[in-house]
Amino acid sequence: MREIVLINITGVDRPGLTAAITGVLAQGGVNILDIGQAVIHDTLSFGILVEIPDTEQGKSVLKDILFKGYELDQQVRFTPVSEEDYQQWVGNQGKKRHIVTLLTRKVTAGQLQAVSSITAKYGLNIDHIDRLSGRMPLDTPADKGKGCIEFSVRGEAADPQSLRAEFLSVAQELNVDIAFQEDSLFRRNRRLAVFDMDSTLIEAEVIDELAKAAGVGDKVSEITERAMAGELDFRASFKERLALLKGLDVGVLDSIGASLRLTEGAETLFAELKRLGYKTAILSGGFTYFAKQLQAKLGIDYVFANELEVVDGKVTGVAIEPIVDAQRKADLLKELAHKEGLRLEQTIAVGDGANDLPMLAIAGLGVAFRAKPLVKQSARQAISTLGLDGVLYLLGFRDRDGQL
């Protein structure tokens, strides 16, 4: 009678070990039903689920594996599996899978305990855990670290909305980011990424910088803050702020542009997206003058932003239509996806303000980046602890995959 056995092998990793073990199994005419291998700090954990035939060669295979393990200085354990349990395991393969991604400056046991407890609470089983971030020296400064752990989980969440709310609450409490997304073909096949500019690609709101130069900085900053938090209509607030810039000398644009700082991780993110064949775009409620500078610096394919009307070297304070507002951003994302022959599921959108929410909602991956509380709560994913290159982790990208 055939046997189904789970073989677990642990010990110091070495070249040729897998070949040696599977060589013994091959001699016994064994069928492989499942297999998995992981190496942590040069220590191997190797599991093989096998079907052993009722033959002369098959009868001695477990003994031969035991001897081979001893020869290779490995610990070997056998666990019999009933056909009933195996069939139940086969039946579970149709269950939905999701990816839970933990992003933090430094991974702690408390963070992992929180994530794993919540997944268990909502009926999700962890199948795999992988570290996507690179190895960090022990003396890495607290604000320079990068840690990412990816959990592959199986099952249907009992209450998806409450699950997300609990992840968000724990993320705020522990100062981490926790992303929860369906593991689908589209997650691994995205090809268009669009970005807000101000406070997303750059560490400033350009209209506030212009306002400081015009002597109305405090008034404009207050309006900007309320608009980004969703307290004011963006279109109306934009026109109001722009009117306050009337008479500003266009000569200040160059100096402001030269002072703008890229957000942490922006250069890495765009270099990797370009290497992976992505098309990229700026969809901004800011100004084309500055967006074009970023386009040249980062190699961005498309730019859509607002035009500053200038007459006789002075800003007129009049908005030129069409204004790139919340709905315009969402419409542009759809147009670009159509132009590139892509489904919306294959797109990524990243932004920080309330006027970014419509495009974040329709993108395959919508990320609120260092956003206001309302935006973080409304968006499906959020990154606040790491730089922009943290978006790569949500795609399953590993640091060792990079070329930088």
Side-chain angles (χ1 to χ4, degrees):
M1 182 179 178
R2 66 184 178 187
E3 292 182 89
I4 301 175
V5 179
L6 175 61
I7 304 172
N8 290 107
I9 298 170
T10 57
V12 177
D13 189 33
R14 64 186 65 187
L17 193 148
T18 303
I21 296 298
T22 53
V24 174
L25 296 175
Q27 291 175 5
V30 166
N31 293 323
I32 306 297
L33 303 177
D34 196 14
I35 187 168
Q37 178 174 312
V39 177
I40 300 177
H41 203 66
D42 293 329
T43 299
L44 172 75
S45 179
F46 187 23
I48 319 175
L49 185 64
V50 300
E51 178 190 13
I52 303 173
D54 186 14
T55 62
E56 288 301 316
Q57 297 93 330
K59 289 177 182 178
S60 64
V61 72
L62 296 183
K63 179 185 67 176
D64 294 340
I65 286 289
L66 201 59
F67 283 137
K68 180 59 70 173
Y70 178 79
E71 177 185 318
L72 297 171
D73 195 25
Q74 302 289 313
Q75 296 182 14
V76 181
R77 186 179 67 186
F78 302 120
T79 304
V81 176
S82 69
E83 291 200 18
E84 181 182 358
D85 286 345
Y86 176 75
Q87 292 299 343
Q88 184 177 4
W89 175 75
V90 170
N92 285 336
Q93 68 183 335
K95 288 189 176 181
K96 274 191 174 181
R97 293 185 179 273
H98 291 83
I99 298 294
V100 181
T101 311
L102 169 69
L103 302 99
T104 178
R105 290 295 181 181
K106 189 171 187 178
V107 180
T108 69
Q111 296 164 359
L112 297 185
Q113 189 274 335
V115 171
S116 55
S117 294
I118 293 172
T119 56
K121 176 180 176 180
Y122 287 89
L124 300 173
N125 186 67
I126 298 173
D127 281 345
H128 303 288
I129 302 176
D130 292 306
R131 174 176 56 86
L132 303 187
S133 51
R135 301 171 183 173
M136 300 300 297
L138 292 175
D139 57 354
T140 301
D143 62 342
K144 300 298 182 184
K146 276 176 49 176
C148 179
I149 305 295
E150 181 182 273
F151 302 78
S152 176
V153 301
R154 173 170 36 88
E156 294 276 2
D159 185 345
Q161 189 171 353
S162 296
L163 169 70
R164 290 181 183 276
E166 197 157 340
F167 273 150
L168 181 61
S169 175
V170 167
Q172 292 172 336
E173 177 185 337
L174 299 179
N175 193 29
V176 300
D177 295 311
I178 304 172
F180 180 73
Q181 53 183 319
E182 186 176 347
D183 189 11
S184 68
L185 174 65
F186 292 118
R187 176 177 177 262
R188 299 180 293 276
N189 192 34
R190 295 192 169 114
R191 287 294 175 268
L192 170 66
V194 304
F195 299 84
D196 176 44
M197 179 174 66
D198 296 27
S199 296
T200 300
L201 293 182
I202 55 175
E203 296 179 342
E205 291 286 336
V206 171
I207 198 167
D208 292 351
E209 301 304 311
L210 292 172
K212 291 175 186 176
V216 290
D218 290 344
K219 189 169 185 178
V220 169
S221 292
E222 180 186 353
I223 299 171
T224 300
E225 184 78 9
R226 294 179 65 195
M228 292 302 99
E231 298 174 12
L232 298 175
D233 173 71
F234 176 83
R235 174 178 284 268
S237 70
F238 177 74
K239 290 183 176 181
E240 181 181 356
R241 286 176 288 167
L242 192 58
L244 293 170
L245 301 182
K246 183 178 180 180
L248 178 66
D249 192 297
V250 73
V252 304
L253 300 184
D254 286 338
S255 60
I256 290 176
S259 69
L260 297 176
R261 294 177 53 188
L262 287 173
T263 300
E264 175 193 358
E267 290 177 297
T268 298
L269 173 60
F270 278 86
E272 294 300 345
L273 290 178
K274 185 174 182 179
R275 186 172 68 88
L276 295 171
Y278 276 72
K279 292 291 186 179
T280 55
I282 291 176
L283 308 184
S284 174
F287 300 108
T288 303
Y289 181 90
F290 303 99
K292 291 288 187 181
Q293 292 180 341
L294 285 182
Q295 182 180 33
K297 185 176 295 186
L298 297 174
I300 296 171
D301 296 292
Y302 302 102
V303 166
F304 295 91
N306 294 309
E307 292 288 344
L308 268 174
E309 185 179 66
V310 176
V311 176
D312 297 329
K314 304 289 184 181
V315 174
T316 66
V318 176
I320 299 176
E321 298 288 347
I323 294 173
V324 179
D325 58 7
Q327 187 56 52
R328 177 73 175 142
K329 288 187 178 188
D331 291 343
L332 285 168
L333 174 56
K334 293 177 184 177
E335 291 173 18
L336 287 174
H338 178 74
K339 179 177 181 178
E340 295 295 334
L342 302 172
R343 295 168 58 108
L344 282 173
E345 291 92 338
Q346 293 176 274
T347 67
I348 302 168
V350 183
D352 72 295
N355 64 318
D356 296 311
L357 283 173
M359 75 172 182
L360 300 186
I362 65 172
L365 175 63
V367 181
F369 181 73
R370 297 182 181 177
K372 299 292 188 294
L374 171 66
V375 182
K376 287 182 68 172
Q377 291 169 10
S378 302
R380 284 170 292 167
Q381 316 300 344
I383 295 178
S384 297
T385 57
L386 300 184
L388 266 178
D389 51 344
V391 172
L392 293 168
Y393 290 139
L394 302 188
L395 306 177
F397 188 91
R398 301 171 188 270
D399 281 353
R400 66 171 180 262
D401 296 331
Q403 297 294 307
L404 302 179

